[in-house]
Amino acid sequence: MSGFRILVTDTLADQGLEILRTAEDAEVRYEPGITGDELLAAVAETDAMITRSGTPVTAELLDAAVELRVLARAGVGLDNVDVDAATARGVLVINTPTANIISATEHTMAMMLSLLRNIPEADRSLRAGEWKRSKFMGRELYEKTLGIIGFGRIGSRVGIRAKSFGAEVIAFDPYIAERAAERIGAEMVTFEELLERSDIITVHTPLTDETRAMIGREEIARMRPGVIVLNIARGGIYDENALAEALESGHVAGAAIDVFADEPPPADHPLLQAPNVYVTPHLGANTAEAQERVGTTTAEMVLDALRGSLFVSAVNLPVEGEIDSRLMATARLSEQLGSLASQLLDGPPTEVNVSIRGIEERALRLVTVAALRGLLTPHLSETVNFVNAETIAKRRGIEWSTTIHQKAEDYVNLVSVDIRSNETAMRVEGTLFGETIPRVVAINEYRVEFEPTGWIIYLVNRDVPGVVGKVGTILGDREINIAEYNLARSKKSGLAMAIITVDTHVDRATLDFLRSFREIEDVRLVKL
């Protein structure tokens, strides 16, 4: 028999293996734990590789994988995969971002109820020969206010289940429209209001520069005395030392922690020493059902990808297949425009319009989905791809439309992305120079030209002398190197806009200092 050669280097659920083994166009080599020279030799003759966390997929390994077309991570995380190296070699990287949703949701509810009813401590007490019912007086979830930070796939499902217990559910998520929460009877509130109103707080956000240590001493101080907190999402969202101190003081009555900034945590970790803490070793996705879904979903996607489908859960843009390089470049430009617009918009997006000029009509859906992918990706932990971007946008209350202009005007080709929230609107436009070189050419009424890549400071100021010098001096004093400084002016508003491409991340203090100047109206840091 001949067919696609698939190498499995870590354990995979039997159901997934059965799908691979019964495929008429596939040959499966199941080698969990294979390493070293044996792995390098095996991967050299492989069309697709399925791994978990046990196989480091390095640039060296990818260099040996001369025939590799598809790399599948049977799970969510990609810490062991050099995605950039895979992308450079034309290897499609896929994972299973939705397989653990129910498991993580149920683990959150289990930890929450255990905290409210003191179940682990009561169990230990009884096993020690005690019968101290009064010591373990619990609390009901009924009529409590549950605050959910991050209202995506998992957070919204936690909300639905808490509502069935009779809890009041409030949520903070700046990237979800209010109507998406209203559909399940939740109330969208500000971050500060959530901290102040909640009896119980649970976080379900990705770990990003925006969310890292987002709950520290100041935020905990705003919480109600006796609050209960949970983290079943990502380690590092809480300042772990600050949380331990709050538990010691009693301001926080209890905590349930499944994830840590460093895993496994050391024996002397402050949260392991603090009172009223229930901890588990990153078990959110650790159920038989989730692992079965991981196995079957991974196997099905690998076969689909090998058979030529682009519509799988890809974490990198496909560089081979039926879509030519120009069309892929146009889609990539649209994705960058969507990302830029969403990062400049105030409030969660509710409406999107994508229009094209001088671009073939068959590209419209791909370009639209790419714009949605760009709009959603900076704010989500789940993978957004060409299959699920529309579904995720719809679930988050975003409506979208498309427009085709047959005649080109100022540019041979042009993609325009208009997005709107309840507060503001943003329009960005871009074109391709040559065949594949992307450029942003307009932001709202400002005509400007820059490459949409890297760290970018977006700055709007009153059109008066001295601003450029002040900004340059401030960045220079902080050793922030300016790669490009692009200026545009609006005679109608009397304002000017600067797009400043810098080599490194800009800290919040620097951005706040720039905002303090009376000439400056707005400052944002964008990552493209």
Side-chain angles (χ1 to χ4, degrees):
M1 170 185 172
S2 62
F4 301 123
R5 298 159 299 178
I6 302 173
L7 174 66
V8 183
T9 66
D10 283 294
T11 56
L12 193 70
D14 291 340
Q15 296 85 347
L17 287 172
E18 184 65 16
I19 291 171
L20 297 174
R21 286 168 172 161
T22 56
E24 295 182 355
D25 54 353
E27 294 179 351
V28 182
R29 181 175 174 181
Y30 186 48
E31 296 278 1
I34 187 172
T35 59
D37 292 340
E38 189 179 0
L39 173 60
L40 293 176
V43 81
E45 300 176 346
T46 296
D47 297 301
M49 184 169 76
I50 299 175
T51 182
R52 299 185 71 113
S53 58
T55 304
V57 183
T58 62
E60 178 188 6
L61 180 63
L62 290 164
D63 284 339
V66 291
E67 302 293 332
L68 192 67
R69 295 165 52 193
V70 178
L71 172 63
R73 167 65 164 87
V76 179
L78 289 163
D79 296 344
N80 62 312
V81 177
D82 190 332
V83 177
D84 291 338
T87 302
R89 290 157 178 78
V91 177
L92 189 67
V93 181
I94 61 180
N95 68 348
T96 53
T98 62
N100 70 336
I101 289 173
I102 297 300
S103 295
T105 300
E106 291 185 355
H107 194 61
T108 301
M109 296 303 299
M111 296 284 270
M112 187 187 307
L113 293 171
S114 293
L115 271 171
L116 288 168
R117 300 306 300 269
N118 305 303
I119 291 172
E121 288 183 350
D123 174 82
R124 288 193 293 269
S125 173
L126 183 58
R127 290 179 185 276
E130 300 175 339
W131 187 263
K132 297 182 177 180
R133 297 178 62 202
S134 61
K135 179 180 178 182
F136 301 112
M137 183 66 66
R139 289 189 281 175
E140 296 177 347
L141 180 54
Y142 178 67
E143 292 190 341
K144 296 297 186 297
T145 299
L146 171 64
I148 303 176
I149 299 172
F151 211 61
R153 288 180 181 270
I154 297 173
S156 61
R157 283 169 170 79
V158 170
I160 291 170
R161 284 153 179 79
K163 290 287 292 183
S164 72
F165 277 77
E168 177 189 3
V169 176
I170 61 177
F172 167 73
D173 194 321
Y175 308 110
I176 292 183
E178 287 188 17
R179 59 174 171 261
E182 290 170 354
R183 282 199 292 264
I184 67 169
E187 178 190 357
M188 296 299 286
V189 298
T190 65
F191 181 54
E192 292 74 17
E193 186 177 355
L194 183 144
L195 296 175
E196 294 167 358
R197 286 178 53 186
S198 299
D199 299 303
I200 307 163
I201 296 174
T202 181
V203 295
H204 299 282
T205 72
L207 182 64
T208 65
D209 290 332
E210 185 179 10
T211 63
R212 190 182 305 277
M214 72 181 299
I215 303 179
R217 287 180 177 82
E218 291 184 9
E219 290 75 20
I220 291 173
R222 298 187 72 143
M223 296 178 186
R224 289 182 173 183
V227 67
I228 284 175
V229 301
L230 300 94
N231 187 4
I232 320 295
R234 288 289 184 269
I237 295 173
Y238 281 88
D239 179 329
E240 294 172 342
N241 290 315
L243 178 55
E245 291 171 5
L247 286 159
E248 291 284 356
S249 71
H251 183 74
V252 174
I257 307 295
D258 185 51
V259 289
F260 295 84
D262 296 308
E263 295 182 350
D268 61 351
H269 191 286
L271 284 178
L272 301 184
Q273 311 301 319
N276 301 321
V277 179
Y278 299 160
V279 293
T280 49
H282 207 145
L283 299 182
N286 202 25
T287 64
E289 294 84 355
Q291 296 313 306
E292 179 180 334
R293 283 192 293 268
V294 166
T296 56
T297 303
T298 300
E300 290 166 352
M301 287 197 300
V302 166
L303 291 172
D304 286 346
L306 287 171
R307 292 164 183 163
S309 174
L310 291 176
F311 300 111
V312 293
S313 183
V315 299
N316 59 349
L317 283 173
V319 294
E320 293 180 356
E322 299 177 358
I323 300 174
D324 61 35
S325 60
R326 183 173 181 81
L327 189 53
M328 280 307 305
T330 305
R332 175 59 179 155
L333 169 66
S334 183
E335 180 183 350
Q336 292 167 320
L337 296 176
S339 178
L340 174 62
S342 73
Q343 292 179 70
L344 297 181
L345 189 73
D346 290 326
T350 57
E351 298 177 35
V352 182
N353 176 265
V354 179
S355 63
I356 57 175
R357 289 183 183 272
I359 298 170
E360 55 188 330
E361 184 173 342
R362 77 182 181 95
L364 183 59
R365 182 166 182 267
L366 177 64
V367 169
T368 301
V369 173
L372 292 173
R373 182 177 190 264
L375 183 152
L376 293 165
T377 295
H379 315 301
L380 302 181
S381 57
E382 63 194 281
T383 300
V384 184
N385 56 58
F386 291 113
V387 173
N388 64 14
E390 292 172 312
T391 300
I392 293 173
K394 183 177 181 180
R395 188 175 68 242
R396 290 172 175 266
I398 300 171
E399 298 178 351
W400 65 92
S401 59
T402 58
T403 308
I404 301 173
H405 302 279
Q406 300 295 339
K407 184 179 179 181
E409 295 183 343
D410 296 335
Y411 298 92
V412 174
N413 59 80
L414 189 72
V415 178
S416 301
V417 176
D418 292 86
I419 67 174
R420 181 177 297 275
S421 70
N422 291 331
E423 292 81 23
T424 59
M426 182 65 57
R427 178 182 180 88
V428 294
E429 297 180 306
T431 188
L432 293 179
F433 288 176
E435 288 291 312
T436 59
I437 302 172
R439 289 290 187 275
V440 176
V441 294
I443 299 177
N444 289 336
E445 73 269 28
Y446 299 103
R447 310 297 293 182
V448 67
E449 186 220 308
F450 64 93
E451 182 181 0
T453 185
W455 292 105
I456 294 171
I457 299 173
Y458 164 86
L459 188 147
V460 177
N461 59 274
R462 289 190 286 114
D463 194 3
V464 295
V467 175
V468 174
K470 286 182 180 179
V471 172
T473 299
I474 292 167
L475 296 180
D477 287 343
R478 288 159 174 77
E479 298 184 348
I480 298 170
N481 194 46
I482 298 174
E484 290 185 13
Y485 201 124
N486 297 282
L487 292 168
R489 307 168 73 185
S490 171
K491 294 182 179 179
K492 180 179 179 181
S493 66
L495 298 175
M497 181 193 72
I499 296 294
I500 310 164
T501 303
V502 293
D503 290 345
T504 57
H505 176 265
V506 180
D507 61 272
R508 186 180 301 176
T510 298
L511 296 174
D512 288 341
F513 190 64
L514 289 170
R515 292 188 187 100
S516 69
F517 288 95
R518 62 182 182 180
E519 302 94 338
I520 293 179
E521 302 283 332
D522 194 9
V523 179
R524 312 282 178 99
L525 181 66
V526 174
K527 180 67 167 68
L528 296 175

